[in-house]
Amino acid sequence: MSAHARPQAPVTVRMFTRRLGSTRRGARLARLLVVRQLDAWGYRGEPSDVAGAIVGELAANAVTHGLVPGRDFEVGLVLAGGTLRIEVADTRGESRPQAAEAGPVAPGPDCETGRGLLLVAALATRWGVADRRGPGKTVWAEIDI
């Protein structure tokens, strides 16, 4: 080791991915699996609650607006450093949510739907939409934990 080199702390990256049926039951299971996985990684309480709420909303959107008959959706977690990245991918490329930079559009006062991304935007440190490998899109959210 040279005189100017500093030892670096090891970087631990934890990953979790699960494919689930595009049903309401699949969306509920996604939330439960994410909370259970975070518990196994030692994250309980607020980080787990926030991640569960975000996954619940994104998974509900995936099975409602991203549904392609016969195709599943996928939920993923990447924990690196102090950031947890949540990804929910579906196979429907169109019907993309409004970009995070502009913020989600608030629904009218009489609307019964459309508040999910407002919740995601409020809970997440940052969020966005990306193309998925293969058909579809991935909606992601990051929280600092």
Side-chain angles (χ1 to χ4, degrees), residues 101-127:
E101 298 81 38
V105 176
D110 296 333
C111 291
E112 294 182 12
T113 63
R115 291 174 176 77
L117 288 177
L118 292 173
L119 180 63
V120 170
L123 294 174
T125 306
R126 58 206 147 263
W127 72 279

Side-chain angles (χ1 to χ4, degrees), residues 34-53:
V34 162
V35 169
R36 182 177 293 162
Q37 185 61 52
L38 289 172
D39 183 52
W41 288 344
Y43 291 91
R44 296 172 184 87
E46 185 178 345
S48 179
D49 293 343
V50 169

Side-chain angles (χ1 to χ4, degrees), residues 28-101:
R28 186 173 56 249
L29 184 57
R31 182 183 60 79
L32 294 172
L33 288 171
V34 162
V35 169
R36 182 177 293 162
Q37 185 61 52
L38 289 172
D39 183 52
W41 288 344
Y43 291 91
R44 296 172 184 87
E46 185 178 345
S48 179
D49 293 343
V50 169
I54 290 172
V55 168
E57 292 301 329
L58 295 181
N61 283 350
V63 303
T64 303
H65 307 295
L67 176 64
V68 173
R71 300 268 177 106
D72 296 336
F73 77 98
E74 188 173 85
V75 63
L77 300 175
V78 178
L79 178 61
T83 301
L84 175 67
R85 183 177 177 100
I86 300 162
E87 297 180 341
V88 176
D90 62 58
T91 55
R92 190 168 182 191
E94 67 277 4
S95 186
R96 295 169 73 101
Q98 184 172 344
E101 298 81 38

